[in-house]
Amino acid sequence: MAAFEFAVMAVLLFMSEGVSAQWQTAHATFYGDMTGGETMQGACGYGDLFKQGYGLSTAALSTSLFNDGLTCGACFQIRCYNDPQWCTTTTPITITATNFCPPNWSLPSDRGGWCNPPRPHFDLSLPMFLRIAKYRAGIVPVQYRRVPCIKKGGIRFELKGNPYWTLVLVYNVGGAGDVTGVAVKGERMRGWVRMTRNWGQNWQVGVGLLGQRLSFRVTLSDGRTVQSDGVVPRNWQLGQTFEGRQF
């Protein structure tokens, strides 16, 4: 299937599952330089965005969009809108939410406090901002909409913690992208155990899992669930990453 046909089918499926794809208005700025160094280690927990596969096609979201981290991993199309002086194109870019743009209560919302509630706002990496607007603009009006995430390979599970507590970073998630539930099952466990969200897309469970083959269930905001059986071998170690199934 051609890439264009696949993208069209993904959008149609995304819309049919009840996730709004209507254009909405917001504003966009940028942070960091062309290397994107300042966009790393964000509030979603993804760490090195190049290593994790997100690159610089990312944005930090204002409070109203970030939703206390629940929107981490969601994908958006953004296009410069209604500003011919500073917009260089109306062709949309696609980004993944990987960070939080905090409020600046010392400045008014319309003059520097761009991420103050209740404003919807995207703080883009500089390379992504320059794909839609001129550098000197600083801030531009945009339209945005949720779109399905198209990722290469399967969902990744990075295992951290200690022998008595396990923390799992879930990333490279396709489909709706934003994870709302994770469950784990060790081969010596009778059933699935729900994990709780620690921060960003780091999920935790107060159970020792070392020495067991592990399976994961991942649920997204649109209600879809994918199960990855036995993707982590018995001899796994803290700090390792394993690949499961994809949406």
Side-chain angles (χ1 to χ4, degrees), residues 27-31 83 86-87 114 121-124 126 129-130 132-142:
H27 283 80
T29 50
F30 64 86
Y31 68 116
D83 192 346
W86 299 114
C87 294
W114 310 125
H121 191 87
F122 295 87
D123 207 11
L124 302 169
L126 178 55
F129 184 85
L130 293 180
I132 61 173
K134 299 176 183 177
Y135 179 88
R136 288 183 58 198
I139 180 171
V140 291
V142 297

Side-chain angles (χ1 to χ4, degrees), residues 8-25:
V8 170
M9 289 184 64
V11 170
L12 291 174
L13 176 62
F14 195 67
M15 294 175 67
S16 70
E17 290 169 345
V19 181
S20 173
Q22 298 297 315
W23 289 103
Q24 301 178 70
T25 58

